[in-house]
């Protein structure tokens, strides 16, 4: 295939093969390769047809393979005249078609999506439901079949195609009829509205999903990759999930150079400008950065004179194991590392670790080091553990009334889960001077 791709590129550069472009600002492309399947693109000219035939001939002669003419088709734009189409078909010796059918289960269509294009999806769901006898199943059994089998059938198509509303309503209707045992011959009363049935279980529903909502969520997952619509119908459909993605996302502050504290959603619920009432001038941007520090660190309620204290590492009481961890970041964010050490009540070194984290802030590095240390403690089957870190902000994340940080919630959740696997534990903050060994290991992991 690399040989074929080289000759296609050579023909395009010489001007014989003219690739096509999606939209006025889109990229030009001439081919798509997937295993032994090829899709070739070119302007509909006689010279381009000869160039395609020449390139395919070189490839077949060099590789010993042949083009399956019976399986191959040529699709023309409606703007191409009939005589040109006939001449190109004769040159390529490939039959013309107006419909490329499906590839990997997805309809290939150059026109707008129509509801009838997805009749095969509805037929597949209907045939699966008709093979089951709902009257012989309990409500729980019918619910499980819908969740595990029926909702999985259109999942693949939903990831790359925005299904028409009529198709989504039809899929919901099939699931609804099967759930309540209603058929074309005998209609039954729906005891609860479908909107309530499709609520999560914790809200009183059965955990089923609306087809339209699942389709939008699937498009939102891919919409983050294809934020800019390049003019293609597929890109346009993926962009439909972008508003949903924005509602569930937030900005990571990092150094703040590319983040607007007023207008960007960095708090997880809404932008700060939308939460405040009244006109605000741009000169208050510095005040917003001060507020950001205030919200994360918190205010100082008392002022007291500095009093020197002795700080040193102390071993745990007999029967306990002590875990010291630390994270280090050069630049915040910058190259980060984490490290830690595990000791017994006599101060003996039991295990230590150091790792390279990559580009991260100091808080993220602290959380990764803490996560690695807890995983190591669990692997060594220690049941009574004292955990010490020198980052007070990280300790504050795990207090019972601490607000949920949207950008660090996954690491914090990992910590809570690992902590549940240690029967007796305690987390406390210590000064950096009492955590020098873990600090040295973190600096070692950063390099």
């Amino acid at each position: 295939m690399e040989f074929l791709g080289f000759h296609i590129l050579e023909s395009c550069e010489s001007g014989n093969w003219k690739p096509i472009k999606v939209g006025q600002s889109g990229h030009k492309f001439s081919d798509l390769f997937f295993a032994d399947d090829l899709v070739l693109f070119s302007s509909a000219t006689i010279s381009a047809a000869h160039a395609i035939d020449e390139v395919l001939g070189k490839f077949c002669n060099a590789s010993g393979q042949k083009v399956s003419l019976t399986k191959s088709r040529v699709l023309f734009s409606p703007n191409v005249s009939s005589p040109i189409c006939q001449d190109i078909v004769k040159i390529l010796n490939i039959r013309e078609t107006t419909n490329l059918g499906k590839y990997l289960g997805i309809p290939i269509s150059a026109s707008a999506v129509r509801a009838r294009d997805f009749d095969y999806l509805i037929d597949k769901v209907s045939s699966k439901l008709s093979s089951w006898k709902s009257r012989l199943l309990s409500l729980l059994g019918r619910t499980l079949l819908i969740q595990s089998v029926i909702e999985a059938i259109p999942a693949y198509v939903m990831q790359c195609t925005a299904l028409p509303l009529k198709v989504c309503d039809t899929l919901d209707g099939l699931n609804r009829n099967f759930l309540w045992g209603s058929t074309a011959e005998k209609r039954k009363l729906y005891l609860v509205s479908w909107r309530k049935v499709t609520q999560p279980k914790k809200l009183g529903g059965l955990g089923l999903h609306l087809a339209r909502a699942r389709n939008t969520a699937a498009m939102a997952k891919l919409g983050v990759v294809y934020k800019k619509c390049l003019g293609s119908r597929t890109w346009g459909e993926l962009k439909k999930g972008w508003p949903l993605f924005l509602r569930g996302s937030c900005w990571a502050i990092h150094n703040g150079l590319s983040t607007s504290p007023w207008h960007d959603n960095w708090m997880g619920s809404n932008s700060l400008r939308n939460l405040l009432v009244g006109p605000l001038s741009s000169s208050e941007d510095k005040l917003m950065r001060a507020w950001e520090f205030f919200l994360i660190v918190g205010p100082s309620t008392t002022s007291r004179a500095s009093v020197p204290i002795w700080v040193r590492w102390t071993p745990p009481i007999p029967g306990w194991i002590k875990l010291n961890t630390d994270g280090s970041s050069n630049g915040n964010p910058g190259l980060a590392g984490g490290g830690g050490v595990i000791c017994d009540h006599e101060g003996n070194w039991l295990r230590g670790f150091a790792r390279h984290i990559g580009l991260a802030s100091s808080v993220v590095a602290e959380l990764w080091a803490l996560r690695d240390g807890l995983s190591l403690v669990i692997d060594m089957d220690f049941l009574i553990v004292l955990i010490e870190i020198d980052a007070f902000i990280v300790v504050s994340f795990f207090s019972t009334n601490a607000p949920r940080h949207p950008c660090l919630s996954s690491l914090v959740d990992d910590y809570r889960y690992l902590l549940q696997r240690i029967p007796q534990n305690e987390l406390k903050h210590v000064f950096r001077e009492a955590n020098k060994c873990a600090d040295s290991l973190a600096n070692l992991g950063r390099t």
Side-chain angles (χ1 to χ4, degrees):
M1 289 302 176
E2 292 181 1
F3 178 82
L4 177 59
F6 171 77
H7 280 285
I8 292 176
L9 180 62
E10 186 180 44
S11 181
C12 291
E13 291 178 348
S14 64
N16 298 327
W17 187 320
K18 296 181 180 179
I20 65 174
K21 184 170 63 174
V22 177
Q24 296 181 355
S25 60
H27 297 287
K28 293 182 178 180
F29 57 95
S30 57
D31 55 87
L32 292 175
F33 291 174
F34 185 82
D36 57 347
D37 297 322
L38 296 91
V39 184
L40 305 178
F41 304 90
S42 175
S43 58
T45 61
I46 301 299
S47 59
H50 283 295
I52 294 175
D53 186 60
E54 181 183 357
V55 170
L56 292 177
K58 290 181 180 179
F59 173 73
C60 293
N61 293 331
S63 63
Q65 301 182 19
K66 292 184 178 181
V67 177
S68 178
L69 300 178
T70 57
K71 296 182 179 179
S72 302
R73 296 291 184 272
V74 182
L75 177 67
F76 293 98
S77 168
N79 300 324
V80 182
S81 62
S82 179
I84 296 294
C85 294
Q86 294 176 3
D87 292 339
I88 293 177
V89 168
K90 291 179 181 179
I91 294 172
L92 298 177
N93 197 22
I94 299 176
R95 287 183 294 174
E96 181 184 357
T97 185
T98 57
N99 183 12
L100 294 177
K102 295 185 294 183
Y103 186 70
L104 297 179
I106 304 296
I108 302 176
S109 175
S111 59
V113 176
R114 298 163 298 184
R116 65 169 181 245
D117 294 334
F118 299 94
D119 287 343
Y120 75 96
L121 200 61
I122 297 174
D123 294 340
K124 187 180 294 186
V125 173
S126 300
S127 62
K128 181 66 69 173
L129 291 176
S130 62
S131 63
W132 297 331
K133 295 182 179 180
S134 60
R135 59 186 180 84
L136 301 180
L137 298 171
S138 64
L139 180 62
L140 177 59
R142 295 193 293 270
T143 303
L144 291 176
L145 284 175
I146 293 175
Q147 288 177 327
S148 59
V149 181
I150 302 304
E151 290 188 350
I153 292 176
Y156 174 67
V157 180
M158 286 181 174
Q159 291 179 5
C160 52
T161 305
L163 298 180
L165 184 59
K166 180 180 178 181
V167 177
C168 295
D169 292 340
T170 303
L171 292 174
D172 287 337
L174 293 173
N175 290 338
R176 183 167 56 247
N177 291 337
F178 178 75
L179 179 68
W180 299 115
S182 181
T183 61
E185 296 79 15
K186 185 177 182 181
R187 308 293 296 179
K188 286 192 176 182
L189 179 66
Y190 301 146
L191 302 180
V192 183
S193 69
W194 190 244
R195 182 68 61 175
K196 292 183 179 180
V197 170
T198 53
Q199 291 290 322
K201 291 183 179 180
K202 63 181 180 180
L203 298 180
L206 294 180
L208 302 180
H209 301 94
L210 288 169
R212 191 63 176 175
R214 289 186 64 215
N215 194 188
T216 305
M219 305 297 285
K221 291 180 180 180
L222 295 179
V224 61
V225 182
Y226 307 107
K227 180 179 178 181
K228 294 183 179 179
C229 182
L230 303 178
S232 167
R233 175 176 59 83
T234 304
W235 305 143
E237 292 178 353
L238 291 176
K239 197 175 180 181
K240 294 179 181 179
W242 185 248
L244 177 63
F245 172 79
L246 290 179
R247 291 209 310 265
S249 62
C250 68
W251 285 88
I253 298 296
H254 293 302
N255 58 10
L257 296 178
S258 60
T259 306
S260 171
W262 285 113
H263 302 289
D264 291 336
N265 177 21
W266 54 273
M267 297 187 299
S269 58
N270 207 337
S271 66
L272 191 56
R273 183 63 184 88
N274 293 337
L275 296 178
L276 300 179
V277 180
L280 300 174
S281 64
S282 59
S283 62
E284 294 173 310
D285 182 71
K286 293 183 179 179
L287 177 60
M288 284 304 306
R289 296 184 182 275
W291 280 8
E292 175 192 343
F293 178 83
F294 178 84
L295 290 171
I296 294 178
V297 178
S300 177
T301 56
T302 59
S303 60
R304 52 188 178 183
S306 299
V307 178
I309 58 174
W310 291 101
V311 178
R312 65 183 181 90
W313 184 90
T314 57
I317 61 176
W320 283 68
I321 297 298
K322 178 177 284 192
L323 168 66
N324 289 81
T325 65
D326 192 25
S328 174
S329 176
N330 185 15
N332 198 26
L335 289 179
V341 58
I342 303 174
C343 298
D344 60 13
H345 68 279
E346 295 180 350
N348 297 319
W349 174 295
L350 300 180
R351 190 69 61 88
F353 68 93
R355 63 163 292 180
H356 181 72
I357 297 175
L359 187 65
S361 64
S362 57
V363 176
V364 173
E366 291 278 0
L367 288 171
W368 272 111
L370 182 58
R371 181 183 181 277
D372 293 340
L374 289 176
S375 299
L376 186 59
V377 165
I378 293 173
D379 291 341
M380 298 179 68
D381 295 328
F382 291 129
L383 304 180
I384 306 176
V385 182
L386 173 63
I387 307 155
E388 291 183 346
I389 57 177
D390 56 23
F392 181 78
I393 185 174
V394 175
V395 177
S396 66
F397 286 158
F398 306 109
S399 60
T400 55
N401 57 349
R404 186 178 179 87
H405 198 288
C407 300
L408 304 174
S409 59
S410 59
L411 287 173
V412 174
D413 291 342
D414 283 349
Y415 167 82
R416 296 184 190 277
Y417 169 73
L418 293 173
L419 210 59
Q420 292 176 356
R421 300 178 60 183
I422 304 176
Q424 191 171 353
N425 59 80
E426 180 183 352
L427 173 66
K428 61 183 297 187
H429 170 261
V430 294
F431 292 102
R432 186 180 299 275
E433 291 77 8
N435 205 33
K436 285 187 175 181
C437 184
D439 180 68
S440 299
L441 290 171
N443 291 328
L444 178 64
R446 189 185 65 198
T447 56

